[in-house]
Amino acid sequence: MKLRERFVVTLVVIAVILAAPAAVAVRSLLTLRQDIVEINVRNAARALQLGRLQAAFRDMSNSERIFLALANSPESPQFANARRMVTENEAKVEVAFDTLSTDEYANITGPAGAMWDSLKVTIAQEQELILSEQVEAADTLRATVVDSLLTR
């Protein structure tokens, strides 16, 4: 083998040695880019779900306040409508929370799930007080317990 052929072979070997890691690096960068895009999409979807959960909580709180405000007139159609809205908005919160607390977000939403369970029990107690015409007790429960749980 002539010197010229050895030189060409050496250059080819060097090129292969340099090209192989570069090809692996490019493939790794493309995979990393795809993973980042997937994470961004997933986080954007979770942010949207979080916004829906916040809106559902706000609507539920508002409907609870309206229900409490109409407690002194239980025969009115507005009272029945407010009670229906409370039930619907609680269901919306439940659906939004369940949607948000799936996959890798289940561990993160665990403490919020415990607070939601506590809040559901307290809201049920508040509704029982309203339906048994103990409006002052329901108002006190809302002021001392429900509002503090909603603001956390």
Side-chain angles (χ1 to χ4, degrees), residues 33-65:
R33 183 172 189 264
Q34 182 181 359
D35 291 346
I36 289 171
V37 167
E38 288 174 11
I39 289 170
N40 282 338
V41 168
R42 186 174 53 233
N43 286 341
R46 296 300 174 156
L48 180 62
Q49 291 169 347
L50 179 61
R52 288 181 182 142
L53 178 62
Q54 290 170 334
F57 263 114
R58 184 186 59 245
D59 293 346
M60 184 198 63
S61 179
N62 289 341
S63 63
E64 280 284 331
R65 288 181 189 280

Side-chain angles (χ1 to χ4, degrees), residues 126-145:
E126 179 187 28
Q127 289 177 358
E128 288 175 22
L129 290 171
I130 291 171
L131 294 174
S132 64
E133 298 181 2
Q134 298 176 16
V135 178
E136 290 296 322
D139 191 36
T140 303
L141 182 67
R142 168 151 288 275
T144 58
V145 180

Side-chain angles (χ1 to χ4, degrees), residues 105-118:
Y105 292 93
N107 293 336
I108 298 169
T109 57
M115 290 186 81
W116 169 237
D117 291 340
S118 174

Side-chain angles (χ1 to χ4, degrees), residues 18-92:
L18 292 176
V24 170
V26 168
R27 187 171 49 92
S28 295
L29 284 174
L30 291 175
T31 302
L32 178 63
R33 183 172 189 264
Q34 182 181 359
D35 291 346
I36 289 171
V37 167
E38 288 174 11
I39 289 170
N40 282 338
V41 168
R42 186 174 53 233
N43 286 341
R46 296 300 174 156
L48 180 62
Q49 291 169 347
L50 179 61
R52 288 181 182 142
L53 178 62
Q54 290 170 334
F57 263 114
R58 184 186 59 245
D59 293 346
M60 184 198 63
S61 179
N62 289 341
S63 63
E64 280 284 331
R65 288 181 189 280
I66 292 169
F67 184 57
L68 179 61
L70 294 171
N72 290 324
S73 56
E75 294 82 25
S76 72
Q78 291 88 0
F79 181 78
N81 187 38
R83 186 172 182 194
R84 181 185 53 77
M85 290 301 295
V86 167
T87 305
E88 287 178 9
N89 286 323
E90 282 184 35
K92 286 179 185 177

